[in-house]
Amino acid sequence: MQLALYVLLCLIWGSTWLVIKVGYGGLGPFNVAAVRFLLAGAVLTPIVPLLRARWPSSRADWLLVTWVGLVLFAADYGLIYWGEQFLDSGLTSILFALLPLVTIAFAHIYVPGDRITVRKLAGSVLAFAGIVALFGDRVRLDPAGLWPMLAIVIATFCAAAAGVATKRHGAALHPAALNAPAMLIGALALAVVSLAVGDGLQIPRDASTWAAIAYLAIAGSVVTFLGYFTLLKTWSVTSLSFISVFTPAVALVLGFVFLDERPTFTNGVGGGLILRGVAL
């Protein structure tokens, strides 16, 4: 059951890079991200009492909720939405695949028992090399994209910091009770940033943008983060960080299936390296 949930997360998050790319709808990046997490938080809030979950109550609970809201849902996704305006999804996937390397370093410092080992480090490096092989032949580096690329790299640090903090301090909180207020805090922070940078706050006006936001909010946020934080109760944060390695591979497979994109030799090498790295 847990492995099936892990696969589901890989499949859904593997599709979200493209949906983010096409789902701005003329809105600013922080604006559209704020709408996404406002909708996700609003959907998830009434689910909390239905699951008989305990709302955050202690100071420690609310510190964690605020940390996740600001660092994961606001900073991480704000940087992703901003950066992906200027980068193709392949390069974005390569950069975000640094997440396991960042996570094992954070976990080594902050999570008891989750230490860096030669096997973990080798697996992370091999998996990252696999992502480079998957997309390297179609990515063109442009010096003008330095800041967006740096934004995606910083986003990996934010995602790792949120995951590691939740693994260390979130054992007593139900995933729904953690995510609902954290998403709303993240949406508020993103709205403030959108106003501060002059993008304002608008509601999408066309059905296609609403469809993209709804998919990202329900499937790409409510379902995935409930699943992610549920697995985090029993899985190591390092193991879960490898989702970021599988998701671009899933996106490539979807291209083969639905867009008739032909695999290349380097794609095969990349897939083999990813599987070997995850196995390690």
Side-chain angles (χ1 to χ4, degrees):
M1 182 63 182
Q2 289 189 337
L3 182 58
L5 180 55
Y6 188 89
V7 171
L8 178 64
L9 298 184
C10 292
L11 291 174
I12 294 176
W13 270 327
S15 67
T16 56
W17 293 111
L18 178 61
V19 180
I20 289 174
K21 186 75 175 176
V22 302
Y24 289 94
L27 302 181
F30 306 109
N31 185 171
V32 72
V35 175
R36 170 184 175 173
F37 289 111
L38 177 62
L39 177 59
V43 169
L44 195 50
T45 296
I47 294 176
V48 176
L50 292 177
L51 295 175
R52 298 184 179 180
R54 175 183 66 83
W55 285 104
S57 55
S58 68
R59 181 173 177 272
D61 288 345
W62 280 108
L63 281 174
L64 178 61
V65 167
T66 303
W67 176 259
V68 172
L70 295 178
V71 175
L72 178 61
F73 296 122
D76 175 32
Y77 277 94
L79 290 167
I80 288 172
Y81 270 83
W82 180 81
E84 204 175 351
Q85 295 177 109
F86 312 102
L87 304 174
D88 63 61
S89 57
L91 179 55
T92 306
S93 298
I94 290 174
L95 294 171
F96 203 77
L98 288 167
L99 181 59
L101 288 167
V102 178
T103 301
I104 63 173
F106 281 14
H108 179 82
I109 296 169
Y110 204 64
V111 178
D114 200 347
R115 314 294 290 177
I116 293 177
T117 64
V118 173
R119 182 182 290 270
K120 283 183 183 179
L121 186 58
S124 299
V125 171
L126 274 179
F128 179 71
I131 293 301
V132 174
L134 278 180
F135 291 100
D137 60 346
R138 62 178 65 187
V139 169
R140 299 293 178 268
L141 294 179
D142 181 356
L146 176 62
W147 290 111
M149 288 189 287
L150 182 60
I152 303 301
V153 172
I154 295 173
T156 67
F157 281 78
C158 294
V164 166
T166 304
K167 181 64 178 180
R168 177 73 183 269
H169 302 293
L173 273 177
H174 189 283
L178 169 64
N179 277 288
M183 287 176 177
L184 295 175
I185 290 171
L188 177 61
L190 287 163
V192 170
V193 173
S194 186
L195 289 171
V197 301
D199 285 342
L201 290 176
Q202 301 179 56
I203 295 176
R205 298 178 181 178
D206 58 279
S208 60
T209 303
W210 271 118
I213 291 174
Y215 176 76
L216 291 168
I218 306 302
S221 301
V222 173
V223 173
T224 50
F225 281 107
L226 277 179
Y228 173 84
F229 285 112
T230 297
L231 289 177
L232 194 58
K233 299 284 188 184
T234 54
W235 288 38
S236 74
V237 66
T238 301
S239 298
L240 288 177
S241 72
F242 275 88
I243 292 174
S244 68
V245 174
F246 278 119
T247 51
V250 168
L252 198 65
V253 170
L254 292 176
F256 295 156
V257 174
F258 295 106
L259 301 179
D260 198 28
E261 296 176 345
R262 295 189 176 184
T264 65
F265 175 74
T266 55
N267 293 154
V269 171
L273 288 172
I274 290 171
L275 292 175
R276 181 55 180 161
V278 173
L280 281 174

